[in-house]
Amino acid sequence: NSPGSARTAITVAAACKNAEVGVSSLCPTPIATFSSRGPLNWNGIDLHKPDIAAPGVHICAARWDSAFAGTTCFDNQHAKISGTSMATPHMAGAAALVRQAYPAFTPDEVKQLLKNSAQPLPGVTTNDQGAGRVNLTAAITTPQFITSTPSIWSVATNPTTRFSIHQQSFSVTSLNNSINTLTISFDLPVGVSGSAVPSTLN
């Protein structure tokens, strides 16, 4: 739902702490039970959402008045809270730090760098975790390249076979001048059958 369904937003899943996976009732898998799942249906095509995951279970946060009684952590001014509302500030801070490290990056490039460097979590699908759990160290210190978000710019149906051809375009920006070879692979969107092949590489 809105605003997470916005294609330009960084939509965040709530990840569990490693020690709580399989222990906490909220964490039978590395992604919390309450975290929204994808895909997002856009113009008849299923797109992967969320984009990325960040810690969102039993996070110490500033307490308002006497809210969340019984969940005190650190002191009486802090409480343990769970929700994607706890995961989102982690990503906001991560995005700010990436922007500070790479001030020339556009918002989309910041988003893609965070996704490209994320750590995939075991046992959950892309529709649960997006690109994986945020890895800020990898995003800032070891980026090799970033890719833009694929965007559907043409959909055509063959009148004889009734097969649809979905064409997508994206860009790859190298951050390492020593890289001179790039191998591209394709995964079909959720719910789409057929074959994925590169038609034009510029």
Side-chain angles (χ1 to χ4, degrees):
N1 292 326
S2 178
S5 57
R7 284 176 291 137
T8 57
I10 302 177
T11 307
V12 190
C16 299
K17 300 172 185 176
N18 291 339
E20 293 191 297
V21 178
V23 177
S24 169
S25 61
L26 297 176
C27 300
T29 73
I31 297 297
T33 54
F34 57 76
S35 186
S36 294
R37 266 73 172 171
L40 167 68
N41 188 274
W42 178 70
N43 285 355
I45 299 295
D46 287 336
L47 302 179
H48 287 306
K49 281 281 188 175
D51 294 296
I52 197 168
V57 178
H58 298 148
I59 305 300
C60 265
R63 184 198 304 274
W64 176 77
D65 197 16
S66 59
F68 302 102
T71 61
T72 298
C73 55
F74 294 137
D75 55 38
N76 289 332
Q77 282 73 52
H78 294 84
K80 282 186 178 180
I81 308 173
S82 299
T84 49
S85 56
M86 294 292 100
T88 299
H90 284 91
M91 287 309 308
L97 290 170
V98 168
R99 187 70 168 78
Q100 184 180 36
Y102 300 99
F105 274 22
T106 66
D108 186 62
E109 288 173 331
V110 170
K111 174 181 177 178
Q112 295 310 317
L113 181 55
L114 288 166
K115 291 176 64 175
N116 293 164
S117 57
Q119 177 64 48
L121 296 169
V124 287
T125 68
T126 303
N127 286 325
D128 299 320
Q129 64 174 318
R133 183 165 49 203
V134 61
N135 186 334
L136 185 57
T137 300
I140 290 179
T141 62
T142 59
Q144 299 297 312
F145 60 87
I146 54 175
T147 60
S148 67
T149 303
S151 58
I152 297 172
W153 55 271
S154 178
V155 179
T157 302
N158 185 307
T160 303
T161 64
R162 296 185 181 178
F163 288 135
S164 295
I165 299 173
H166 303 277
Q167 295 179 317
Q168 293 185 323
S169 62
F170 62 93
S171 64
V172 178
T173 302
S174 175
L175 303 178
N176 185 336
N177 292 332
S178 66
I179 296 176
N180 53 29
T181 301
L182 182 67
T183 301
I184 300 175
S185 62
F186 295 82
D187 291 319
L188 290 170
V190 176
V192 176
S193 60
S195 58
V197 295
S199 58
T200 303
L201 296 177
N202 295 320

